[in-house]
């Protein structure tokens, strides 16, 4: 069983930065691929970024590539999402997710989900 708790969301102006964190419970954190998804009002949840269990491989959605960076600390059981140059269209609830495999996580079929943290970017 893995529990995920997100933090770090908030209200910022366009162009600002935010850093989201996800704290995971469980002794096997280092064996899980971790990722971030987001869901804007009236839209479906979409993939944002994924990082492999060892942190050596990352993949990003085209909409955030070059602005967002995903990282993990397997000693602290945390995964982070550094978000720079935020845009109003980044406004959404951001969810942390965990799965054994990167491909399934990227497709949105995840074993575990956090409850989400709200990010609002004003213009």
């Amino acid at each position: 069983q893995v529990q995920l708790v997100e933090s770090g969301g908030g209200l910022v102006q366009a162009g600002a930065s935010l850093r989201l964190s996800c704290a995971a419970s469980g002794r096997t954190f280092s064996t899980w691929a971790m990722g971030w998804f987001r869901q804007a009002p009236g839209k479906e949840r979409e993939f944002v970024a994924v990082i492999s269990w060892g942190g050596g491989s990352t993949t990003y959605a085209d909409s955030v590539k070059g602005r967002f960076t995903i990282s993990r600390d397997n000693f602290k059981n945390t995964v982070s999402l550094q978000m720079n140059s935020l845009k109003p269209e980044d406004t959404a609830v951001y969810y942390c997710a965990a799965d054994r495999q990167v491909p399934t996580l990227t497709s949105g079929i995840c074993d575990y989900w956090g409850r989400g943290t709200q990010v609002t970017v004003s213009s």
Side-chain angles (χ1 to χ4, degrees):
Q1 187 76 8
V2 176
Q3 291 187 328
L4 306 175
V5 179
E6 303 95 336
S7 62
L11 170 64
V12 297
Q13 291 188 331
S17 298
L18 273 177
R19 186 176 180 87
L20 305 183
S21 293
C22 174
S25 65
R27 298 178 181 178
T28 60
F29 174 80
S30 62
T31 66
W32 294 81
M34 300 296 298
W36 290 92
F37 288 75
R38 66 186 183 186
Q39 187 168 19
K43 295 187 177 181
E44 293 186 354
R45 186 154 52 187
E46 64 174 359
F47 166 77
V48 174
V50 63
I51 188 166
S52 60
W53 63 269
S57 176
T58 58
T59 302
Y60 298 91
D62 287 342
S63 58
V64 307
K65 202 171 293 183
R67 299 188 298 123
F68 291 11
T69 302
I70 188 171
S71 61
R72 66 188 297 160
D73 185 332
N74 286 344
F75 293 102
K76 297 182 178 179
N77 282 14
T78 59
V79 61
S80 299
L81 186 68
Q82 177 66 42
M83 305 186 295
N84 298 328
S85 302
L86 283 162
K87 305 175 181 180
E89 50 263 44
D90 294 319
T91 295
V93 177
Y94 282 72
Y95 297 91
C96 179
D99 194 83
R100 292 292 187 185
Q101 302 292 334
V102 167
T104 49
L105 188 150
T106 305
S107 69
I109 304 172
C110 305
D111 285 338
Y112 299 102
W113 293 92
R115 293 188 175 184
T117 184
Q118 176 71 46
V119 172
T120 304
V121 185
S122 63
S123 58

